[in-house]
Amino acid sequence: MGFLSVLSCAHQWISSRLQPGDLAIDATVGTGADTLFLAQKVGKRGQVIGFDIQSEALTLTQARIRKQEGNAKLGSISLLQLSHDRMAEAVPETWQGNVGAVMFNLGYLPSEGADSTIITETDSTIAALQAALALLKPRGIITVVLYPGHDGGSQEADAVLEWSSALHVEQAQVVIYRQLQRDASPFLIGIEKK
């Protein structure tokens, strides 16, 4: 068996932390794979909020969720057509300090025909990460999948590395999962709130 993909590793890290009834956020909905994963993990008593700026992403996610509608074990899902940097203002106040997990899968919408020039932007990503950390409960986790291989991706990855490396160890523990031989390959950062 080989190493896990960065997406599988992110799911594994979150699976070990997220509990039924928890609150979770998908900061970059995309095609909805992480949104659905989070809804399965929090179960019918839990809640998930997903963010994306593209209506196409929300449509793809709704279609993915509809295929699972017979599954009564899904948590409630709210999808917002908003940038992830508006996370702090968009989630209910009761979520402050109570979120179990926040997932970021940066880059562009990986869908046939989607506009790959619409990408996550460094400034909004850093603002969203700051908001996500504030929303986490103690031992809550943020996963960030980064894609340095596309235009703008390496700058965003460098900024996220710089931001997360600067977090004080009393505030959070940060780890990285990366193939070292290929600079452009996707990699994962995990942030656990203390």
Side-chain angles (χ1 to χ4, degrees):
M1 182 177 111
F3 289 113
L4 294 173
S5 72
V6 291
L7 297 173
S8 295
C9 187
H11 284 198
Q12 188 176 78
W13 288 355
I14 286 189
S15 290
S16 69
R17 306 294 176 86
L18 212 51
Q19 301 295 314
D22 274 351
L23 306 172
I25 296 172
D26 185 350
T28 51
V29 165
T31 63
D34 291 338
T35 309
L36 182 59
F37 164 76
L38 291 169
Q40 291 166 333
K41 289 296 160 193
V42 300
K44 60 185 176 184
R45 293 182 297 116
Q47 297 176 57
V48 176
I49 297 177
F51 292 86
D52 209 292
I53 61 169
Q54 296 182 77
S55 60
E56 181 182 353
L58 302 182
T59 300
L60 290 167
T61 300
Q62 289 164 340
R64 185 183 294 263
I65 292 165
R66 266 195 301 281
K67 290 179 184 174
Q68 300 292 320
E69 279 184 340
N71 182 349
K73 295 180 182 177
L74 289 182
S76 71
I77 302 167
S78 301
L79 298 175
L80 305 176
Q81 189 172 348
L82 288 174
S83 173
H84 54 207
D85 68 354
R86 301 204 30 217
M87 186 183 303
E89 68 188 73
V91 300
E93 197 172 309
T94 56
W95 285 43
Q96 188 73 31
N98 291 309
V99 173
V102 183
M103 296 189 81
F104 288 78
N105 192 349
L106 302 176
Y108 54 85
L109 180 60
S111 174
E112 189 176 321
D115 184 351
S116 63
T117 64
I118 300 173
I119 61 172
T120 52
E121 301 286 340
T122 301
D123 291 344
S124 63
T125 295
I126 297 300
L129 285 166
Q130 290 169 334
L133 190 57
L135 287 166
L136 282 184
K137 64 183 180 181
R139 295 199 30 81
I141 186 171
I142 297 170
T143 60
V144 189
V145 177
L146 296 132
Y147 298 88
H150 70 85
D151 286 344
S154 63
Q155 294 88 341
E156 183 175 47
D158 289 346
V160 171
L161 278 169
E162 183 180 334
W163 176 83
S164 57
S165 297
L167 292 173
H168 196 279
V169 293
E170 308 237 336
Q171 182 182 21
Q173 173 178 257
V174 181
V175 296
I176 188 168
Y177 181 75
R178 185 175 200 169
Q179 183 180 358
L180 296 176
Q181 299 98 327
R182 294 191 178 132
D183 290 341
S185 62
F187 65 98
L188 171 65
I189 293 175
I191 303 166
E192 176 193 54
K193 187 170 186 176
K194 293 283 186 167

